[in-house]
Amino acid sequence: MNDADALIATQIRSVLAAAETGGGVAPIVEAGDPILRSVTRPFDGQVDDAELAQLAEVMRATMLAAPGVGLAGPQVGIGLSMFVAEDPGSLDPETAEVRQRTPMPLRVVLNADYTPATSEDVAFFEGCLSIPGYQAVVARPREIELRGQDLKGTPIAEVVSGWSARIVAHETDHLEGIMFLDKAEMRSLSTNTSVARFWSQPSTQKAAAELGFTLPSGMLM
């Protein structure tokens, strides 16, 4: 094992140890930590299957406790190409329809990358567990083509659409050292309190009009 892979193994074991003393939950790394701006390394056996599965459980528990719908390796201090994601969907029918937010069962993806599966972009507010307290509007493809492997090493190659595509793209970006504010409409930057007060509508039309930013061409939401 080379030095880089040995470091990842050490990082994984440190997170597992922290979770053991933290009720199964690991600390979340916040913006400003260099690991969030580093390109991750692929998983190629740095730890055994049992430790990898344990890491997936800790990352899911940490994500749910935050609470959030996705969490990438760098967000717990591990430079590994891995993320977990799970979304219960929206309870509001109009929001679910406008944002195409349907439930997404738990998924754990290793060595992920994605490409747009459509030229159509949609823009909505999103946030990040590593930038607590803030949201901004980000334009992302309505559909993406996800590639990677699951915990058993089985290849993943599928089209993901709607809000699930947004979550997957957001988490996969983390693996390349990209954070959501890098792609955001900065005029839309708002605190969580302001989003709840002013911009809780299913669409982003009102926010775009009043905050002064442009939605993707052809976006009808």
Side-chain angles (χ1 to χ4, degrees):
M1 184 180 296
N2 60 37
D3 289 346
D5 286 336
L7 174 60
I8 287 175
T10 298
Q11 291 170 339
I12 290 172
R13 288 163 185 151
S14 294
V15 168
L16 296 181
E20 189 173 348
T21 60
V25 172
I28 294 177
V29 172
E30 295 190 353
D33 190 309
I35 199 165
L36 292 172
R37 292 307 194 176
S38 301
V39 177
T40 58
R41 291 181 62 81
F43 178 75
D44 59 4
Q46 291 93 340
V47 294
D48 63 26
D49 291 349
E51 285 179 299
L52 186 65
Q54 188 179 358
L55 175 61
E57 292 176 3
V58 167
M59 288 178 63
R60 178 177 184 259
T62 302
M63 171 187 72
L64 295 177
V69 293
L71 191 70
Q75 292 182 277
V76 289
I78 302 172
L80 181 68
S81 182
M82 175 179 179
F83 74 79
V84 298
E86 184 177 2
D87 183 23
S90 176
L91 295 176
D92 176 63
E94 183 183 0
T95 298
E97 180 180 3
V98 170
R99 300 182 186 178
Q100 291 185 289
R101 186 168 185 177
T102 56
M104 178 174 64
L106 172 67
R107 61 188 318 152
V108 182
V109 183
L110 302 168
N111 307 335
D113 71 87
Y114 74 92
T115 53
T118 175
S119 60
E120 183 183 7
D121 286 348
V122 288
F124 295 104
F125 278 98
E126 64 182 70
C128 179
L129 297 179
S130 292
I131 309 176
Y134 290 89
Q135 297 181 47
V137 172
V138 181
R140 295 193 185 272
R142 188 183 290 276
E143 292 184 333
I144 62 170
E145 191 170 332
L146 170 66
R147 294 170 296 276
Q149 294 87 42
D150 64 17
L151 283 177
K152 296 180 180 179
T154 304
I156 296 170
E158 63 181 271
V159 172
V160 185
S161 62
W163 201 263
S164 294
R166 177 170 298 272
I167 296 169
V168 168
H170 178 119
E171 299 310 326
T172 305
D173 280 353
H174 272 301
L175 308 179
E176 297 294 326
I178 298 168
M179 302 185 75
F180 86 103
L181 288 182
D182 299 334
K183 297 184 172 183
E185 291 284 352
M186 292 307 293
R187 291 186 67 93
S188 71
L189 184 64
S190 306
T191 63
N192 289 347
T193 300
S194 291
V195 171
R197 180 180 178 186
F198 299 112
W199 316 125
S200 60
Q201 306 84 10
S203 79
T204 44
Q205 284 184 326
K206 183 179 180 184
E210 296 191 20
L211 296 178
F213 62 90
T214 302
L215 294 174
S217 177
M219 184 176 171
L220 301 178
M221 302 304 182

